[in-house]
């Protein structure tokens, strides 16, 4: 068994998610918490039925793991969602976990430590932020900038069934994106993108470009904190509203079941915060294809404080 914890942090009211990987199909897990480095909090343990844990309304399958470096030969995996309330104190929390299968085989226990993080852990982020522009940094030294509200278009060729063809352009405008990070650890995230795409059926009928709306608008509310080690803003979504051209979608998650997303790496100052790597790693083969070219560009997404 191999175990890894989402984000390597735990959140008050939310707990944490453990990814369990094994070479057998696992049905349950034993969990013991530690009081100190050398002593268990209790000799008793939690016996977790993983199917019931998953079916209890928890959003573990939607929580995004940021352990991008995980490499394993294990083929079976499951999620263990551990929730706790605000009585848990901030700081390091260690536990032992092992898994078992339907035949009663039990893995060796593995000790994992997570950091219980407090909310709103970076006062510089408190305030209202508006997306300003994006910047792309190429290994050649050139920089490409795209401001909010600026239209971008890509041109293509469409060949009809009668062998005639026409050129068309699909365009989009990044209308706005805002974050309002508040001192009580709540936040609101709004976004709007206006875009068009080719309506293939209508365009084929007369072999003339016909377009349809492909935009998106949303508002998300939740709680936030900051992981200084990873330089990531941790967003926990509780209320979602998405508006597409012909349909809307709303979802509310109760406390303990929020969707956890890392947003970073973030560079924060008193006037702006940037998401991305910028030119930190220029000259490195970032995608591992053996070449250093435009595919290995750095980027920043820049938000300005209002």
């Amino acid at each position: 068994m191999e175990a890894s914890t989402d984000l390597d942090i735990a959140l008050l009211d939310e707990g944490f998610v453990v990814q369990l990987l094994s070479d057998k199909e696992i049905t349950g897990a034993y969990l013991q918490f530690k009081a100190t480095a050398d002593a268990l909090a209790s000799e008793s343990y939690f016996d977790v039925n993983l199917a019931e844990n998953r079916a209890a309304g928890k959003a573990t399958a939607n929580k995004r793991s940021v352990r991008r470096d995980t490499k394993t030969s294990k083929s079976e995996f499951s999620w263990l969602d551990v929730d706790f309330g605000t009585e848990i104190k901030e700081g390091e929390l260690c536990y032992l976990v092992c898994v078992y299968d339907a035949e009663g085989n039990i893995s060796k226990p593995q000790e994992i430590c997570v950091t219980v993080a407090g909310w709103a852990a970076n006062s510089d982020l408190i305030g209202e932020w508006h997306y300003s522009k994006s910047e792309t940094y190429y290994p050649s030294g050139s920089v490409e900038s795209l401001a909010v509200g600026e239209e971008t278009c890509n041109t293509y060729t469409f060949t009809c069934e009668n062998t005639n063809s026409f050129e068309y352009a699909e365009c989009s405008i990044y209308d706005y994106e805002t974050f309002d990070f508040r001192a009580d650890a709540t936040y609101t995230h709004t976004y709007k993108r206006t875009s068009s795409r080719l309506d293939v059926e209508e365009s084929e009928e007369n072999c003339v470009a016909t377009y349809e709306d492909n935009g998106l608008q949303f508002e998300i509310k939740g709680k936030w904190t900051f992981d200084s080690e990873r330089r990531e803003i941790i967003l926990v979504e509780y209320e979602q509203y998405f508006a597409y051209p012909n349909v809307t979608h709303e979802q509310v998650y109760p406390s303990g079941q929020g969707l956890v997303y890392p947003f970073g790496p973030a560079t924060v100052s008193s006037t702006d915060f940037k998401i991305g790597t910028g030119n930190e790693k220029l000259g490195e083969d970032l995608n591992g294809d053996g070449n250093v070219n435009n595919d290995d560009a750095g980027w920043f997404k820049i938000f300005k404080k209002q």
Side-chain angles (χ1 to χ4, degrees), residues 241-274:
Y241 173 80
F242 292 91
Y244 302 95
N246 299 311
V247 65
T248 61
H249 171 76
E250 293 184 70
Q251 183 73 49
V252 176
Y253 298 94
S255 179
Q257 299 175 28
L259 302 188
V260 182
Y261 294 112
F263 191 52
T267 304
V268 183
S269 74
S270 59
T271 58
D272 63 44
F273 77 80
K274 301 176 181 179

Side-chain angles (χ1 to χ4, degrees), residues 68 151 214 277:
R68 294 172 283 263
E151 185 179 58
N214 189 38
T277 58

